[in-house]
Amino acid sequence: MYRRPLQSVVRKIINVSASRATYGKALEQEACLARTFIACQLVGTTTTSPFQTQCRTLHSTSQLFNVKETPQAATEEEVGAFTKVIEAMGFTGPLKYNKWKIKIAALRMYTCCVERVNYDEFFEKCSLPDTLNSWFLVAQLHVWMCLVRMRQQGREGKYMCRYIVHSMWEDVEQRSKIMGIDAIHRKESMRAMTETFYAAIFGYDEGILSDDGVLAAALWRNMFNRQCEDPRQLELILEYVRKQMQFIDTLDGEDLLLTGEVKWRPLLEKDAQSILKVPTPTYNDAGL
């Protein structure tokens, strides 16, 4: 007999607490929906009811993509622990191809940057003086385009980039000696060219991953030394870099690692949008 009143009281307490919990959840849901509706109105989304249209937040990203997006660039090459230790100490681990073959290919690629480019045409069309510094500005532009292409070839490509730059500095020093520049001025010139080169590499990398305005600004600072009075000259070099990078991306990376043969499109051509199919280079079993 005494248990029934006690049970009824307990049931009432449970029912009241359950109703309060349900009412509290309903209030929380209504408050959440109200906040969502207000946020959508602030963003600029026109909705009649929060139950009819789902509000989505705006997504913006500053991520920049590479010129040639390939599966090889997305996945890093897996190396062993011993190779990682060796490369952390400053040495180069084992590569897919013989290191001497890659060095020879790097020298050939730099030779293509020097001997297969019409420098007189660049001096004339860009109003550059015929000096060692002007030659270096045009050469470093082509060397940079080769570096961009070979950095897509994994560890072998990065190893090749190192010797392309090494060959360039050896050539610059030999040319300055032939011109009769004394040791003191040659050392100062080499220091200034080194600073110019790495500043140009940074600016060109930023430009090739951005729009034409950023790349044109980098060319104006480095190629023209901030002294370009004719905007058509800047437009000509900008178009040349874009079509040249598109052309180099069509070349096979393995062939470039073994041969280093690069052909350049002319500075002036009628149909700049066309991509010529490059014949496959031939080399023997030794990769030469």
Side-chain angles (χ1 to χ4, degrees):
M1 297 286 299
Y2 66 93
R3 292 182 179 179
R4 290 181 181 178
L6 181 61
Q7 290 177 356
S8 61
V9 171
V10 171
R11 290 195 189 95
K12 290 182 180 179
I13 294 174
I14 293 175
N15 293 333
V16 170
S17 60
S19 60
R20 288 181 178 177
T22 305
Y23 181 72
K25 290 181 180 180
L27 289 177
E28 291 180 358
Q29 291 179 356
E30 290 180 1
C32 182
L33 291 176
R35 288 195 297 267
T36 305
F37 180 70
I38 294 173
C40 292
Q41 286 183 341
L42 292 176
V43 172
T45 306
T46 57
T47 55
T48 57
S49 173
F51 297 100
Q52 296 177 359
T53 305
Q54 182 180 5
C55 298
R56 301 181 62 182
T57 58
L58 298 177
H59 175 71
S60 61
T61 178
S62 59
Q63 183 180 3
L64 300 177
F65 296 95
N66 201 348
V67 177
K68 182 181 179 182
E69 297 181 355
T70 57
Q72 290 85 358
T75 58
E76 292 291 337
E77 182 180 358
E78 296 183 359
V79 295
F82 180 71
T83 303
K84 293 181 179 179
V85 172
I86 290 178
E87 294 183 349
M89 296 173 62
F91 301 97
T92 303
L95 302 175
K96 182 167 56 174
Y97 300 112
N98 187 281
K99 295 180 181 179
W100 283 105
K101 295 180 183 179
I102 298 178
K103 289 181 181 180
I104 294 174
L107 179 59
R108 287 181 176 175
M109 184 169 288
Y110 173 73
T111 305
C112 294
C113 297
V114 174
E115 296 183 352
R116 294 186 179 180
V117 177
N118 190 350
Y119 285 84
D120 294 333
E121 186 179 15
F122 276 88
F123 296 161
E124 178 184 358
K125 299 298 181 181
C126 300
S127 301
L128 299 176
D130 190 359
T131 60
L132 178 62
N133 185 62
S134 298
W135 171 87
F136 176 73
L137 294 177
V138 178
Q140 76 173 0
L141 178 64
H142 292 81
V143 168
W144 164 75
M145 288 189 282
C146 291
L147 297 180
V148 172
R149 179 63 185 89
M150 297 315 300
R151 279 181 293 190
Q152 303 177 23
Q153 298 304 125
R155 296 171 59 249
E156 291 78 11
K158 294 178 181 178
Y159 183 80
M160 187 173 179
C161 290
R162 185 189 311 172
Y163 280 93
I164 293 174
V165 177
H166 176 76
S167 301
M168 181 189 68
W169 293 126
E170 291 288 337
D171 187 29
V172 170
E173 187 175 3
Q174 291 299 323
R175 288 174 184 268
S176 61
K177 290 181 180 179
I178 294 175
M179 294 180 64
I181 303 176
D182 58 278
I184 298 177
H185 291 84
R186 184 169 62 249
K187 185 177 181 180
E188 295 177 355
S189 300
M190 291 291 293
R191 185 184 298 111
M193 287 182 177
T194 302
E195 295 176 357
T196 302
F197 175 73
Y198 288 106
I201 291 297
F202 182 81
Y204 292 156
D205 283 342
E206 182 184 12
I208 200 65
L209 295 174
S210 305
D211 54 5
D212 289 344
V214 180
L215 182 57
L219 291 170
W220 176 72
R221 290 193 309 268
N222 300 283
M223 183 78 175
F224 294 93
N225 198 18
R226 296 178 174 152
Q227 295 179 358
C228 181
E229 298 180 355
D230 190 357
R232 292 175 297 181
Q233 296 176 349
L234 185 59
E235 182 183 5
L236 177 64
I237 300 300
L238 177 63
E239 179 185 353
Y240 175 78
V241 171
R242 288 295 187 185
K243 71 180 181 182
Q244 201 63 254
M245 292 301 301
Q246 187 181 13
F247 178 71
I248 296 178
D249 281 341
T250 61
L251 302 179
D252 185 73
E254 300 297 325
D255 293 333
L256 292 175
L257 285 173
L258 293 174
T259 63
E261 294 288 336
V262 178
K263 293 183 180 180
W264 305 101
R265 300 181 70 176
L267 180 61
L268 297 175
E269 56 183 334
K270 297 180 180 179
D271 188 9
Q273 301 297 327
S274 64
I275 296 296
L276 303 177
K277 182 63 178 178
V278 181
T280 304
T282 57
Y283 47 87
N284 54 27
D285 295 337
L288 304 176

